[in-house]
Every structure is written in structure tokens, then in C-alpha cells.
């Protein structure tokens, strides 16, 4: 009798396990289906908004009267809002018209709408350049950014900062485009103006998730204060990361104050040691990033550090006001473009 009871208990456990697995499998199918339905609905809605904007734009263009354009938008949007709701209020209809004007190719809209929501497009539409729109669209897709994070990236000028580095390293295969930024905005660390490199390290490790997000997609944290032994002498690399898509180690050194030429030799030593002792089969040569409070661009250019797989960038522990940030980045971009053009002439 006891044996029979034991078999019954075993059978009940199997049924429970089977039911749990069945429930888990069915839940997965339902959730997956829900996501697909939501994505499809979003894509359909975004394409509809494009078509509405395109149709009104075409009608106004054919009429070629500015006054007619104002009247038709006001009249049509009022009728649409009455019949189909607040999505078609005049303000929103004008956004649809702007959307269709900026994204004139429907096929591009169809492709992007599979991964971006209408709310994403509303953030992208006001951007001034096509390049910036494309950059942030791809950033939102590759990083699966929501609207809030996308806005943050735009506020922090991710496009301009990446463009500066891309210009510096555009002729060197060690640094594929959109890998690094300059400067890095470490304002989330909550540091005061007076601090030590150790404080930065500790703060970065404490806020590691945010720091990796600032670095960009593909970075995986490996080690802090990586011990390197050369000629029985100990050296310590501040931070070591691995970049999954680049398939290489990335060494990061944090330096207090202005860049100094001697930092190049130190980083070269670390990279050669990593290449000899840590590089695994199938990986590319390690590369380095030196983060300084001030980068000394002319020294960096003369040392041609990018040829040795080393990038130098500034870090800011406090984010300046928007206008000041724009001014600084604008000047930096002009300077880099001028140096780049001079190189081409030589």
C-alpha cells in the first residue's frame, strides 16, 4: 500500500512538472504573439500617419497657395479629429506633414517603423540634420532605447561627440566608426571639482551600468586594476573591458588633469602585454582609451596615437548648461575638421 502511495506521489509530481512546463511554453507563445501584434500595430499606425502627411503635402503643393495651405490643414484636421479622435488634432497633423517631408522615402519609413514607435519619430523629427536623424534612429534600434533614453542621448549630444571621434579616426581601421565618444559625460558620478583618480574609478564601478551605456553598445566589463607583471615589476591597468562586436580587449586609463605625452608609452606597454598574454584565438589586437580631464589635441595628433590603437578623450564630471555644451562641441568639431582638411592637403 505504501509503495502504491509512493508511485502516486511520483505521478502527481510529474503531472505538476509537466503542467508548469506547459504553462511556461504557452506563456512564452502568448507574450511573443502580443509583442508581434503590438509591433505590427505600431508599424501600421506610423505608416498611416506618414500617408496622411504625404497626402496633405501633395495637395498643398499642387495648389501652390500659402493661404490655401493654412486653411486646408485647419479644416481637414478639424474633420479628422471629430471623426477619429485626438490623434488627428491640428498640431499632430502638422507633425505628420513634417514627418512625410523629412522621411520622403516610404520604404525607409516601413523599415524603421518595424523597430521604432511613432513616439520615437516625434523625437527624431525636430533634429536639424539628416545625419543626426539617421544616427539616433540607428542608436535607438541597436541599443533598444525607449523614448526617454533617446531624448537623453540627444540632450547629451551623443551624435556630435561621436562625430568628433569619427573624424579623428576615420582613416584607421583600429577604430570602427561610432565606437568611442569625446568627451565622455560622467556627470552621473556625483563628483566634486576636487577628486582623485581613485574616486573616479570607485564611482565608475559603483555606476558601472551607466558607464558602460556611456561607452556604447558591445562593451563588457572584465576587470578593475588589472595586474600586469613586467620584469618582476607590478603595473596596474585601471579598467579592462571586452568589446563583443569588435572582438578585442579595450584597456582604459583614467588620468587626472591634462594629457601628457608619457601616457602614450604607458598605454603602449599595457596593450603589448595584453596582446601577448591575454589575447585569445580569434580576437583582434587590443586597443586603448585614455580618459583625461583635458585632452591636449595637438599633442595627441603629433603623436599619431590612433595608429597605435590608442584613443584619447576628455571626461567631464559635471555636464555644462546646454548652450555651453553646444558651443564647446561646435568648436571642437570645427577644430577637428580643419585639422583633417589640412592633412588631406598635405
Amino acid at each position: 500500500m505504501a509503495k502504491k502511495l509512493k508511485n502516486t506521489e511520483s505521478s502527481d509530481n510529474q503531472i505538476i512538472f509537466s503542467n508548469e512546463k506547459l504553462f511556461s511554453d504557452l506563456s512564452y507563445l502568448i507574450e511573443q504573439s502580443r509583442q508581434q501584434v503590438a509591433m505590427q500595430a505600431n508599424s501600421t499606425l506610423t505608416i498611416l500617419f506618414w500617408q496622411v502627411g504625404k497626402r496633405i503635402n501633395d495637395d498643398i503643393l499642387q495648389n501652390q497657395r500659402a493661404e490655401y495651405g493654412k486653411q486646408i490643414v485647419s479644416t481637414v484636421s478639424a474633420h479628422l479629429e471629430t471623426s477619429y479622435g485626438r490623434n488627428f488634432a491640428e498640431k499632430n497633423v502638422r507633425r505628420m506633414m513634417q514627418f512625410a517631408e523629412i522621411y520622403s522615402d516610404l520604404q525607409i519609413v516601413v523599415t524603421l517603423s518595424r523597430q521604432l514607435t511613432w513616439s520615437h519619430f516625434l523625437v527624431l523629427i525636430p533634429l536639424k540634420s539628416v545625419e543626426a536623424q539617421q544616427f539616433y534612429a540607428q542608436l535607438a534600434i541597436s541599443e533598444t532605447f525607449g523614448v526617454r533614453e533617446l531624448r537623453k542621448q540627444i540632450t547629451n549630444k551623443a551624435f556630435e561627440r561621436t562625430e568628433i571621434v569619427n573624424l579623428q579616426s576615420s582613416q584607421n581601421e583600429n577604430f570602427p566608426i561610432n565606437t568611442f565618444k569625446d568627451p565622455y559625460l560622467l556627470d552621473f558620478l556625483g563628483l566634486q571639482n576636487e577628486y582623485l583618480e581613485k574616486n573616479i574609478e570607485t564611482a565608475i564601478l559603483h555606476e558601472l551600468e551607466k558607464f558602460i551605456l556611456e561607452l556604447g553598445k558591445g562593451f563588457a566589463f572584465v576587470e578593475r586594476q588589472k595586474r600586469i607583471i613586467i620584469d618582476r615589476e607590478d603595473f596596474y591597468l585601471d579598467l579592462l573591458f571586452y568589446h563583443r562586436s569588435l572582438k578585442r580587449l579595450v584597456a582604459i586609463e583614467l588620468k587626472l588633469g591634462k594629457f601628457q605625452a608619457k601616457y602614450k608609452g604607458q598605454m603602449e606597454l599595457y596593450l603589448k602585454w595584453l596582446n601577448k598574454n591575454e589575447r585569445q584565438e580569434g580576437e583582434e589586437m587590443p586597443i586603448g582609451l585614455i580618459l583625461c580631464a583635458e585632452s591636449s589635441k595637438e599633442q595627441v595628433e603629433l603623436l599619431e596615437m590612433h595608429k597605435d590603437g590608442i584613443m584619447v578623450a576628455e571626461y567631464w564630471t559635471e555636464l555644462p548648461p546646454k548652450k555651453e555644451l553646444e558651443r564647446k562641441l561646435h568648436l571642437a568639431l570645427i577644430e577637428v575638421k580643419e585639422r583633417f582638411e589640412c592633412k588631406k592637403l598635405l
Side-chain angles (χ1 to χ4, degrees):
M1 185 70 179
K3 187 175 182 181
K4 186 177 180 181
L5 183 61
K6 187 175 182 181
N7 288 339
T8 303
E9 289 177 354
S10 176
S11 176
D12 289 344
N13 289 337
Q14 287 177 356
I15 291 171
I16 292 169
F17 176 77
S18 177
N19 285 344
E20 287 179 351
K21 186 178 185 309
L22 177 62
F23 177 77
S24 176
D25 291 346
L26 292 177
S27 296
Y28 173 76
L29 290 173
I30 293 168
E31 291 298 331
Q32 192 177 45
S33 178
R34 279 181 174 178
Q35 289 177 8
Q36 289 173 351
V37 169
M39 289 172 63
Q40 188 174 355
N42 168 72
S43 179
T44 302
L45 192 65
T46 300
I47 292 168
L48 169 64
F49 290 161
W50 184 90
Q51 291 171 328
V52 169
K54 178 74 162 56
R55 180 65 183 81
I56 296 173
N57 286 342
D58 288 348
D59 188 83
I60 292 172
L61 186 64
Q62 288 168 10
N63 190 276
Q64 294 184 340
R65 283 195 297 127
E67 191 59 36
Y68 170 80
K70 292 179 181 178
Q71 291 175 354
I72 196 66
V73 173
S74 179
T75 304
V76 167
S77 62
H79 283 299
L80 290 174
E81 185 177 9
T82 301
S83 300
Y84 301 106
R86 293 174 59 186
N87 273 339
F88 296 94
E90 183 174 345
K91 180 181 178 181
N92 294 334
V93 168
R94 290 192 180 279
R95 286 175 175 171
M96 296 172 200
M97 294 166 63
Q98 193 178 5
F99 176 47
E101 184 179 355
I102 291 171
Y103 292 89
S104 56
D105 188 337
L106 177 58
Q107 191 52 53
I108 292 175
V109 174
V110 170
T111 302
L112 292 176
S113 68
R114 291 174 185 147
Q115 300 175 83
L116 299 176
T117 67
W118 173 241
S119 297
H120 282 102
F121 283 110
L122 291 179
V123 175
L124 296 172
I125 287 170
L127 297 175
K128 294 178 182 179
S129 73
V130 174
E131 293 80 10
Q133 290 165 355
Q134 292 173 343
F135 173 87
Y136 286 114
Q138 290 305 315
L139 184 66
I141 291 169
S142 64
E143 303 280 0
T144 60
F145 281 157
V147 174
R148 181 182 295 180
E149 183 57 39
L150 179 60
R151 283 202 185 100
K152 182 180 177 183
Q153 292 294 320
I154 293 171
T155 300
N156 288 349
K157 304 293 179 183
F159 170 69
E160 290 83 352
R161 291 187 289 133
T162 306
E163 190 177 18
I164 289 169
V165 175
N166 286 345
L167 268 172
Q168 291 176 348
S169 57
S170 58
Q171 293 180 317
N172 191 281
E173 61 183 11
N174 279 329
F175 299 103
I177 62 169
N178 301 338
T179 302
F180 294 110
K181 302 185 187 80
D182 185 14
Y184 283 89
L185 305 178
L186 309 186
D187 57 303
F188 60 81
L189 300 180
L191 298 173
Q192 303 299 319
N193 289 330
E194 297 297 326
Y195 49 82
L196 300 173
E197 291 167 30
K198 199 60 115 178
N199 299 138
I200 301 172
E201 268 184 58
T202 303
I204 284 176
L205 286 170
H206 183 67
E207 301 277 356
L208 191 57
E209 184 179 345
K210 294 179 183 177
F211 181 63
I212 292 175
L213 188 64
E214 177 65 11
L215 285 174
K217 186 177 182 180
F219 284 91
F221 178 67
V222 177
E223 195 170 345
R224 172 195 183 189
Q225 287 292 298
K226 171 70 177 177
R227 187 184 181 194
I228 294 173
I229 303 174
I230 303 172
D231 291 332
R232 291 181 290 183
E233 184 178 353
D234 288 344
F235 297 85
Y236 292 92
L237 171 64
D238 289 336
L239 295 163
L240 183 62
F241 288 81
Y242 180 77
H243 198 291
R244 295 178 63 188
S245 59
L246 296 183
K247 292 184 171 60
R248 63 179 81 205
L249 291 166
V250 180
I252 298 180
E253 277 288 289
L254 299 160
K255 298 298 182 184
L256 187 65
K258 198 170 183 179
F259 171 80
Q260 298 179 35
K262 66 181 181 181
Y263 297 158
K264 178 187 178 183
Q266 182 187 37
M267 180 59 82
E268 283 179 336
L269 185 67
Y270 292 164
L271 293 180
K272 288 177 180 177
W273 187 93
L274 289 170
N275 186 59
K276 179 181 177 182
N277 297 282
E278 296 288 333
R279 180 182 174 188
Q280 297 183 7
E281 187 177 349
E283 291 182 358
E284 302 294 332
M285 294 274 290
I287 55 176
L289 172 64
I290 302 174
L291 288 174
C292 302
E294 193 176 341
S295 66
S296 304
K297 290 180 173 60
E298 192 169 359
Q299 285 190 49
V300 172
E301 183 188 5
L302 290 170
L303 290 168
E304 297 185 317
M305 300 180 66
H306 61 280
K307 292 183 178 180
D308 298 306
I310 302 171
M311 178 65 65
V312 178
E314 293 182 358
Y315 61 81
W316 295 351
T317 56
E318 291 184 7
L319 184 61
K322 184 179 178 182
K323 287 186 177 179
E324 180 64 13
L325 173 62
E326 289 175 348
R327 186 187 70 82
K328 287 184 176 183
L329 294 178
H330 181 66
L331 290 174
L333 195 53
I334 290 173
E335 183 182 346
V336 172
K337 283 181 177 178
E338 286 177 350
R339 292 180 184 276
F340 190 74
E341 291 302 319
C342 286
K343 280 184 179 179
K344 289 204 299 189
L345 291 173
L346 294 174

